[in-house]
Amino acid sequence: MNKQGNLYTIIYIVVLVVVVGAALAFTSISLKDRQQANVKADKMTQILASVRITPAPGDVISDYNRYITDTYCVDMQGNKVEGATPAFDVNVAELSKEAPEKRLLPVYVCTLADGSTKYILPMYGAGLWGPIWGYISVDSDGSTVYGTYFAHQGETPGLGAEIEKPHFRDQFDGKHLIKDGTFMPISVVKHGLAPQGNEDYVDGISGGTITSKGVGAMIDNCLSPYSAFLENLQAK
């Protein structure tokens, strides 16, 4: 066959594409289990971060199983949903777009080394350039924030991306979600200002106004459906 001809070139390209495609497909299939395990471990790490636990890389699963002592889903009325999708497998990103009454609301119960119980609730929203998400842990009184974790996909470094830094997250510690018997989501406001209502609030990121507003909207959208559940905790 003439190696300078068009037929040889076409056959060469086709064979090359088939070989490379097969190699990539084989690699993807071979690594699929490891990729899924890494995604699962990363999610566990984020959940634990909301209760101020930072496991060593090799201890993520064991620490998660040690501290997360129960998981379940509740409905908007605060009742456990029997036979529902396991809390860990609930797609919060998709459900956050649904009407509150249609959502499954995952709850992660954490028992710390001192015996205290924290309830971890997932959140998902939108920042300036892409999705933002996180977890917030609440004391057994159903109101007091114990810790938070926030992450983003593509917010601007030094601006909106600062939501993942301790100086922003730590502001939430000790804030309350229930005041005078009424659920009030924590507001994120411009530094030096205060919300018009009586809710607790934190300062937004300087220069990251849209991302800060996104965090506030995420808290409102994702935690408000838990209001009955949190009020039930407080009543106990």
Side-chain angles (χ1 to χ4, degrees):
M1 182 180 292
N2 182 9
K3 293 185 178 181
Q4 304 301 320
N6 291 335
L7 179 60
Y8 177 84
T9 301
I10 293 173
I11 293 175
Y12 179 83
I13 293 174
V14 170
V15 171
L16 183 62
V17 168
V18 170
V19 171
V20 172
L24 290 174
F26 175 78
T27 301
S28 177
I29 293 173
S30 300
L31 297 177
K32 184 176 181 180
D33 290 343
R34 183 177 298 179
Q35 291 171 341
Q36 291 178 338
N38 288 339
V39 169
K40 183 177 180 180
D42 182 56
K43 184 174 180 177
M44 290 178 176
T45 300
Q46 295 179 23
I47 292 171
L48 291 175
S50 72
V51 284
R52 311 176 194 173
I53 296 173
T54 305
D59 297 332
V60 174
I61 295 177
S62 60
D63 281 356
Y64 179 87
N65 292 332
R66 179 186 307 141
Y67 293 108
I68 304 302
T69 51
D70 195 9
T71 61
Y72 50 82
C73 291
V74 298
D75 57 23
M76 194 176 175
Q77 287 71 46
N79 302 314
K80 286 187 180 182
V81 181
E82 302 297 338
T85 302
F88 194 87
D89 296 331
V90 171
N91 190 329
V92 177
E94 291 298 324
L95 288 179
S96 66
K97 304 171 187 176
E98 298 285 346
E101 63 272 13
K102 295 182 179 180
R103 299 183 198 176
L104 276 177
L105 306 172
V107 177
Y108 301 87
V109 183
C110 174
T111 303
L112 296 178
D114 63 3
S116 62
T117 300
K118 313 298 177 185
Y119 296 87
I120 304 170
L121 314 176
M123 303 175 289
Y124 191 92
L128 173 60
W129 302 113
I132 56 177
W133 64 91
Y135 297 88
I136 187 166
S137 62
V138 182
D139 286 342
S140 56
D141 64 2
S143 176
T144 308
V145 175
Y146 178 73
T148 57
Y149 173 87
F150 296 109
H152 63 91
Q153 181 171 299
E155 299 307 288
T156 307
L159 298 176
E162 295 296 296
I163 63 171
E164 66 183 4
K165 300 297 179 60
H167 70 82
F168 177 73
R169 295 188 285 109
D170 292 350
Q171 295 183 87
F172 289 85
D173 297 355
K175 301 297 184 184
H176 293 87
L177 292 167
I178 297 178
K179 303 189 73 173
D180 300 322
T182 302
F183 175 83
M184 294 184 180
I186 299 167
S187 293
V188 182
V189 299
K190 187 175 181 179
H191 180 71
L193 299 180
Q196 295 180 348
N198 189 39
E199 69 269 25
D200 280 358
Y201 64 94
V202 301
D203 292 332
I205 301 296
S206 178
T209 302
I210 295 179
T211 308
S212 298
K213 289 182 177 179
V215 172
M218 174 176 71
I219 292 172
D220 187 6
N221 177 50
C222 292
L223 295 191
S224 292
Y226 285 97
S227 59
F229 170 75
L230 295 173
E231 288 165 1
N232 289 343
L233 289 178
Q234 189 168 71
K236 294 179 182 179

